[in-house]
Amino acid sequence: AQTVTQSQPEMSVQEAETVTLSCTYDTSESNYYLFWYKQPPSRQMILVIRQEAYKQQNATENRFSVNFQKAAKSFSLKISDSQLGDTAMYFCAFIRDYGGATNKLIFGTGTLLAVQP
Amino acid sequence: NAGVTQTPKFRILKIGQSMTLQCTQDMNHNYMYWYRQDPGMGLKLIYYSVGAGITDKGEVPNGYNVSRSTTEDFPLRLELAAPSQTSVYFCASSYYTSGFSDTQYFGPGTRLTVL
């Protein structure tokens, strides 16, 4: 069974600084996708970034980038130039590249990030 | 595009009551999902659908039912509400075809309290 582990329940960072959130996963599959979702106090689940396992290049989206280490099964999120609006719960998620019952997101337990002014 | 919409945003139920949570997507996605999020936890899959007329159970289906008569709509029915069903419910949708799995897009959630 696939599992996703986020070992940092809470983190804090000063505005304009850089922070890295950790995520590890366990799977025997070779084709899969990894995601970081952000959940602000509004509770909306917002996609931050997506990584296809077959791509060696790390995904980037503006101030957000990932360090994808497939052999180590590690998928960390780096937030540069942190902003107050980045304060949220961040979830790492995994999905296999198959349809049907297996096409479901497996979520970690989340990391609560607080950006301090 | 409105994306994924859910109604209601909040609801309080008494034990034993029933209700339907509505979910609609306008992205022509074939896959739709219902998740629940308990306090301090990630999301867990309740039910999913791979297309109109086809639904199946996820990890935590007990106490819930779904139907999918159209591509756009995927309502979740709670029968005989129990305090254990107090949670935030998210509907999501995505496009899947062999060899490609699109991102799941989420609705704004429904906060349900059962007293």
Side-chain angles (χ1 to χ4, degrees), chain A residues 42-109:
Chain A
S42 67
R43 299 198 319 271
Q44 178 80 50
M45 293 289 286
I46 302 166
L47 176 70
V48 175
I49 202 163
R50 162 194 171 107
Q51 175 81 43
E52 290 85 353
Y54 63 84
K55 290 186 177 178
Q56 292 187 341
Q57 187 172 6
N58 289 326
T60 61
E61 287 288 343
N62 301 314
R63 298 183 294 108
F64 299 89
S65 61
V66 298
N67 184 4
F68 174 47
Q69 301 288 330
K70 191 173 184 179
K73 297 179 182 176
S74 171
F75 183 60
S76 61
L77 174 70
K78 185 171 82 171
I79 305 174
S80 304
D81 186 25
S82 297
Q83 300 175 359
L84 295 177
D86 295 334
T87 293
M89 181 74 86
Y90 286 80
F91 290 99
C92 179
F94 166 101
I95 195 167
R96 293 172 63 182
D97 186 20
Y98 296 101
T102 59
N103 196 244
K104 64 177 183 180
L105 281 169
I106 308 295
F107 285 88
T109 52

Side-chain angles (χ1 to χ4, degrees), chain B residues 59-72:
Chain B
E59 301 171 80
V60 289
N62 291 344
Y64 307 95
N65 277 300
V66 294
S67 60
R68 184 127 179 245
S69 57
T70 67
T71 300
E72 296 78 19

Side-chain angles (χ1 to χ4, degrees), chain A residues 4-11 21-24 36 92 108-111:
Chain A
V4 176
T5 302
Q6 293 179 250
S7 58
Q8 305 153 316
E10 295 183 24
M11 294 191 72
L21 280 58
S22 300
C23 173
T24 59
W36 280 97
C92 179
T109 52
T111 296

Side-chain angles (χ1 to χ4, degrees), chain B residues 3-4 23-30 32 68 71-72 93:
Chain B
V4 180
C23 175
T24 300
Q25 55 92 9
D26 63 358
M27 297 175 281
N28 202 31
H29 286 166
N30 51 352
M32 294 187 75
R68 184 127 179 245
T71 300
E72 296 78 19
S93 71

Side-chain angles (χ1 to χ4, degrees), chain B residues 26-78:
Chain B
D26 63 358
M27 297 175 281
N28 202 31
H29 286 166
N30 51 352
Y31 277 51
M32 294 187 75
Y33 312 82
W34 275 104
Y35 293 91
R36 61 177 284 173
Q37 183 181 29
D38 297 327
M41 303 294 290
L43 281 67
K44 292 190 176 180
L45 185 66
I46 305 172
Y47 270 94
Y48 70 97
S49 169
V50 303
I54 307 171
T55 64
D56 208 345
K57 297 176 181 178
E59 301 171 80
V60 289
N62 291 344
Y64 307 95
N65 277 300
V66 294
S67 60
R68 184 127 179 245
S69 57
T70 67
T71 300
E72 296 78 19
D73 300 307
F74 190 42
L76 176 73
R77 178 84 178 161
L78 277 72

